[in-house]
């Protein structure tokens, strides 16, 4: 799986290399879109963006649109000395236009994040001699309660004529936020998934 | 003939002692609340209680349960009002639901050992897989059930 985060990835990498704040940079890029800004500002506020975390910890931010829904996530990660990644907290915000049942919207984002976390950390199908090597949960690891972060979901609805989807956005944006937070915590850019295959160096 | 007690009822079964308990429950007794997920004791969809303890019934043969008392999701509470079931409803835990009977049975047994669990206790002891990712609400429902049981 290749990671591509919407438009402007090259500019983004350049801006971050130049030490620009990841949230403020996105804000500048999205100035013309109040709906995106509503989501972006919400996750920045609720995640205490800019407040320093301890050593080996970092925050990653990602925002994008799919199924007519804008979703933003800030993920907080700890990278252990051995280079293992643990996602501690995810703050998500969605603009799906309108909401019928807020509880279901929240549940879909919570579980979408968890499904996305499985994919980002472990999900991998490999082929050997023409056959898929994974056949069951003993050879295909998935997230359990022990890996599950605290997940907060906030609505930032723009209303209008839009009725966005809510099933997939949580899943699709998780890997982006996590990969960005791994960069924040370790300085290593993640260019392929799953993370279990990426060699990371934690704090000394 | 093997004699086992399931949900308080004694059954005399003409089956091989090596038959997995899960097969007996689903195919011989027709109690289909208990699910087949992985068949290799990894996922917990088949969790039932044997003498009050949570076991994964796909990995246990019926011969080992002879004379013991088995409880399935159908027998957890006569009116579906076990505190764990009430908490599950209140928190809106299930999604597609395939794993949920196993989750509820695992949580009910866990709470007997840990009446006031911390998040860390829950994470360390409950290893049932939920592919839909309902874990956040499983955690809150377990805390809610623990509080219900105290009152
Ligand atoms: S079916 Fe028994 S543990 Fe998965
Ligand atoms: S609710 Fe679908 S697997 Fe748990």
């Amino acid at each position: 799986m290749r990671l591509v985060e919407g438009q402007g990835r090259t500019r983004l990498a350049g801006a971050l290399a130049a030490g620009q704040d990841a949230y403020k940079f996105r804000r500048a890029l999205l100035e013309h879109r109040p709906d995106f800004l509503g989501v972006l500002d919400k996750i920045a506020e609720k995640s205490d963006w800019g407040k320093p975390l301890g050593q080996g910890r970092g925050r990653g931010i990602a925002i994008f649109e799919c199924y007519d829904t804008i979703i933003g996530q800030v993920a907080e990660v700890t990278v252990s000395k051995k280079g293992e990644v643990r996602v501690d907290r995810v703050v998500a915000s969605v603009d799906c236009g309108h909401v019928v049942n807020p509880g279901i919207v929240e549940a879909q984002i919570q579980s979408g994040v968890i499904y996305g976390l499985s994919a980002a950390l472990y999900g991998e199908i490999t082929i050997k001699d023409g056959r898929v090597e994974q056949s069951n949960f003993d050879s295909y690891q998935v997230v359990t309660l022990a890996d599950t972060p605290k997940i907060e979901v906030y609505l930032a609805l723009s209303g209008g004529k839009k009725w966005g989807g809510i099933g997939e956005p949580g899943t699709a944006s998780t890997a982006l936020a996590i990969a960005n937070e791994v960069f924040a915590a370790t300085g290593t850019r993640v260019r392929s998934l799953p993370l279990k295959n990426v060699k990371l160096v934690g704090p000394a | 003939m093997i004699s086992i007690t399931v949900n308080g009822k004694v059954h005399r079964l003409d089956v091989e002692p090596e038959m997995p308990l899960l097969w007996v429950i689903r195919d011989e007794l027709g109690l289909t609340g208990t699910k087949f997920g992985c068949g290799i004791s990894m996922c917990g969809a088949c969790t039932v209680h044997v003498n009050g303890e949570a076991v994964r019934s796909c990995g246990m043969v019926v011969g080992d349960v002879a004379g013991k008392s088995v409880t399935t999701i159908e027998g957890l509470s006569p009116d579906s009002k076990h505190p764990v079931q009430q908490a599950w409803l209140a928190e809106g835990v299930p999604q597609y639901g395939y794993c949920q009977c196993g989750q509820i049975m695992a949580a009910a047994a866990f709470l007997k050992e840990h009446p006031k669990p911390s998040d860390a206790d829950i994470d360390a002891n409950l290893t049932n897989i939920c592919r839909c990712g309902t874990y956040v609400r499983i955690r809150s429902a377990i805390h809610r059930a623990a509080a219900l049981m105290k009152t």
Side-chain angles (χ1 to χ4, degrees), chain B residues 87-141:
Chain B
W88 243 247
L89 264 182
E91 296 287 336
V93 177
Q95 292 199 11
Y96 294 168
Y98 198 82
C99 72
Q100 295 290 331
C101 295
Q103 302 280 6
I104 289 171
M105 294 307 280
F110 163 78
L111 279 166
K112 276 191 273 181
E113 304 291 317
H114 303 82
K116 249 188 88 189
S118 65
D119 280 350
D121 295 332
I122 295 173
D123 290 1
N125 287 282
L126 291 166
T127 56
N128 286 32
I129 290 174
C130 174
R131 249 345 226 143
C132 296
T134 59
Y135 300 123
V136 174
R137 289 179 179 211
I138 288 177
R139 260 192 214 131
S140 23

Side-chain angles (χ1 to χ4, degrees), chain B residues 27-48:
Chain B
D27 292 7
E28 298 293 321
L29 303 179
L31 295 168
T32 51
T34 309
K35 298 292 187 267
F36 174 91
C38 63
I40 53 168
S41 299
M42 292 287 300
C43 75
C46 64
T47 305
V48 299

Side-chain angles (χ1 to χ4, degrees), chain B:
Chain B
M1 283 290 203
I2 293 173
S3 163
I4 61 169
T5 306
V6 178
N7 300 334
K9 209 168 134 203
V10 182
H11 296 270
R12 288 175 54 74
L13 300 164
D14 184 15
V15 298
E16 299 294 325
E18 293 80 37
M19 186 182 259
L21 176 59
L22 176 59
W23 283 25
V24 172
I25 290 170
R26 287 185 58 88
D27 292 7
E28 298 293 321
L29 303 179
L31 295 168
T32 51
T34 309
K35 298 292 187 267
F36 174 91
C38 63
I40 53 168
S41 299
M42 292 287 300
C43 75
C46 64
T47 305
V48 299
H49 298 171
V50 173
N51 286 354
E53 252 174 68
V55 302
R56 297 190 170 175
S57 61
C58 69
M60 186 167 242
V61 295
V62 65
D64 289 343
V65 195
K68 295 186 180 160
S69 167
V70 177
T71 307
T72 69
I73 185 74
E74 290 89 347
L76 183 63
S77 149
D79 54 0
S80 304
K81 290 236 166 67
H82 187 281
V84 173
Q85 289 170 314
Q86 291 186 42
W88 243 247
L89 264 182
E91 296 287 336
V93 177
Q95 292 199 11
Y96 294 168
Y98 198 82
C99 72
Q100 295 290 331
C101 295
Q103 302 280 6
I104 289 171
M105 294 307 280
F110 163 78
L111 279 166
K112 276 191 273 181
E113 304 291 317
H114 303 82
K116 249 188 88 189
S118 65
D119 280 350
D121 295 332
I122 295 173
D123 290 1
N125 287 282
L126 291 166
T127 56
N128 286 32
I129 290 174
C130 174
R131 249 345 226 143
C132 296
T134 59
Y135 300 123
V136 174
R137 289 179 179 211
I138 288 177
R139 260 192 214 131
S140 23
I142 289 174
H143 290 303
R144 185 187 279 262
L148 281 174
M149 283 168 157
K150 263 209 315 265
T151 52

Side-chain angles (χ1 to χ4, degrees), chain A residues 106-117:
Chain A
E106 184 198 58
Q108 285 298 299
I109 298 298
Q110 289 169 337
S111 61
V113 166
I114 289 164
Y115 202 83
L117 191 58

